[in-house]
Amino acid sequence: QVRPVESGGGSVQAGGSLTLTCTTSAFDLNMCGLGWYRQAPGKEREFVSGVDYDDTVRYAGSVKGRFTVSRDNAKALLLLQMNSLKPEDTAMYYCKSNFRLGYCYESWGQGTQVTISS
């Protein structure tokens, strides 16, 4: 396993788009699964979206229909396409490798900041 590394954050206006990239390993993608989480100031970290090792895709209700998670297996990337961004999407976004008994330990990246202005 490798520690995930996030990139692609930035500042955009409401209604805009951003794509976040999580650089990982083929092992993490295929054997562990990964997820995107976010934490806004003063709030708890929350799940956003993820792809499990069995290819199950999940979304938080607040982003469903606006965000799309995908995998680039050739480059060992987990991508998060974020459209129709809202000020309430402002947060630090983290990528995490999932724990899987006998295979994987949980590993967090350092995060990338997303700021949406109204």
Side-chain angles (χ1 to χ4, degrees):
Q1 283 189 265
V2 299
R3 185 178 186 184
V5 177
E6 305 91 338
S7 61
S11 298
V12 298
Q13 290 190 326
S17 299
L18 280 174
T19 300
L20 303 184
T21 299
C22 175
T23 301
T24 179
S25 71
F27 180 88
D28 286 81
L29 273 180
N30 296 310
M31 299 302 293
C32 312
L34 295 105
W36 287 101
Y37 293 75
R38 67 187 181 186
Q39 187 167 20
K43 295 188 176 181
E44 292 188 354
R45 192 171 297 189
E46 63 176 0
F47 173 78
V48 175
S49 180
V51 183
D52 293 338
Y53 68 90
D54 60 359
D55 293 333
T56 300
V57 177
R58 295 177 291 133
Y59 294 98
S62 59
V63 306
K64 206 167 188 179
R66 300 189 297 124
F67 291 11
T68 303
V69 68
S70 62
R71 300 171 10 158
D72 183 329
N73 291 324
K75 298 180 180 179
L77 303 175
L78 183 72
L79 306 170
L80 186 67
Q81 174 68 44
M82 306 187 295
N83 298 325
S84 302
L85 284 162
K86 305 175 182 180
E88 51 264 44
D89 294 318
T90 294
M92 184 70 79
Y93 283 71
Y94 298 90
C95 183
K96 179 180 76 75
S97 297
N98 298 333
F99 170 80
R100 184 183 175 195
L101 186 63
Y103 292 91
C104 311
Y105 57 85
E106 186 177 279
S107 179
W108 290 89
Q110 290 193 323
T112 186
Q113 178 67 39
V114 171
T115 303
I116 311 302
S117 58
S118 57

